[in-house]
């Protein structure tokens, strides 16, 4: 099963990137998860949508060739980061690779609520006509106080969090088989 993973943070030491890498490593026997770099996308400009930049074209191709999409996003001011919204805007106008794709959302923050509000906004965006992703229903990975769930080596070690992620990833794999 091939999964395109998009991390909604451009911070090098992002907790959300660590969560995406954890998922990539933990499930490598059943899922080939490829992280897509969106940090070099230029700001979306309708003047350029007919011939998008190579960075966008490459990401669109990766998503088209995947069986599903994993979004891992932080929460900035109760919403998704601009870098993630920009990438989704490009996708909605450049081949619509997210249309009909089974999609899972996860997110981590240092606050107690995880990324509840940003994931609500992301679900709305992914439901927009130009995006039309098939988001895994009734499964959210809101990882709050994430800084306490990693060890000093940057490894996710919290057993309850790992069990929870295991359950949602199993549901995601079933979702892909169900809607594909």
């Amino acid at each position: 099963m091939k999964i395109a993973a998009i991390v909604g943070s451009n911070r090098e030491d992002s907790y959300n990137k660590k969560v995406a890498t954890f998922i990539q490593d933990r499930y490598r026997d059943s899922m080939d998860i490829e992280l897509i770099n969106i940090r070099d996308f230029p700001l979306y400009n309708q003047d350029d949508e007919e011939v998008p930049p190579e960075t966008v074209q490459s990401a669109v191709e990766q998503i088209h060739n995947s069986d599903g999409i994993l979004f891992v996003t932080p929460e900035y001011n109760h919403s998704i980061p601009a870098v993630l919204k920009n990438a989704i805007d490009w996708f909605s106008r450049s081949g619509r690779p997210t249309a009909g794709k089974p999609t899972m959302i996860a997110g981590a923050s240092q606050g107690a609520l995880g990324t509840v509000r940003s994931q609500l906004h992301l679900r709305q965006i992914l439901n927009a006509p130009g995006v039309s992703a098939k988001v895994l229903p009734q499964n959210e990975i809101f990882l709050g106080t994430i800084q306490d769930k990693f060890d000093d080596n940057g490894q996710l070690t919290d057993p309850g969090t790992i069990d929870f992620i295991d359950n949602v990833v199993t549901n995601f794999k079933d979702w892909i088989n169900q809607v594909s």
Side-chain angles (χ1 to χ4, degrees):
M1 194 172 285
K2 191 170 183 142
I3 305 299
I6 301 165
V7 177
S9 172
N10 54 9
R11 187 174 146 247
E12 192 57 43
D13 199 33
S14 160
Y15 283 116
N16 286 277
K17 184 176 180 182
K18 289 179 182 180
V19 169
T21 302
F22 168 81
I23 293 171
Q24 180 184 41
D25 292 342
R26 184 162 177 88
Y27 308 103
R28 76 172 141 257
D29 292 339
S30 61
M31 300 168 78
D32 177 17
I33 300 175
E34 187 173 358
L35 297 176
I36 294 176
N37 180 6
I38 61 172
R39 54 191 300 185
D40 296 327
F41 281 24
L43 287 177
Y44 170 75
N45 182 334
Q46 190 174 9
D47 292 338
D48 300 328
E49 75 181 25
E50 292 298 318
V51 183
E54 178 57 36
T55 54
V56 173
Q57 289 179 27
S58 177
V60 166
E61 185 175 318
Q62 286 176 275
I63 296 169
H64 270 306
N65 293 329
S66 71
D67 298 307
I69 307 167
L70 166 64
F71 285 95
V72 187
T73 184
E75 181 169 305
Y76 292 178
N77 298 316
H78 297 179
S79 190
I80 65 172
V83 67
L84 180 56
K85 178 64 167 75
N86 183 58
I88 294 169
D89 288 344
W90 272 111
F91 299 151
S92 73
R93 304 295 288 200
S94 301
R96 298 184 62 213
T98 57
K101 277 293 178 195
T103 301
M104 182 176 111
I105 302 173
S109 76
Q110 294 180 352
L113 295 177
T115 56
V116 173
R117 292 179 182 113
S118 68
Q119 288 194 38
L120 286 172
H121 284 185
L122 183 54
R123 282 179 180 272
Q124 289 176 322
I125 294 164
L126 294 175
N127 192 44
V131 183
S132 302
K134 291 185 177 180
V135 181
L136 176 65
Q138 301 173 353
N139 283 263
E140 293 96 5
I141 298 178
F142 304 128
L143 303 177
T145 60
I146 193 66
Q147 70 277 7
D148 299 333
K149 295 176 171 67
F150 283 91
D151 65 16
D152 292 338
N153 298 318
Q155 299 298 311
L156 185 62
T157 57
D158 183 68
T161 299
I162 293 169
D163 289 344
F164 180 70
I165 292 172
D166 284 344
N167 184 51
V168 176
V169 169
T170 296
N171 293 341
F172 182 48
K173 289 190 267 186
D174 292 344
W175 178 245
I176 290 171
N177 291 326
Q178 182 182 1
V179 300
S180 293

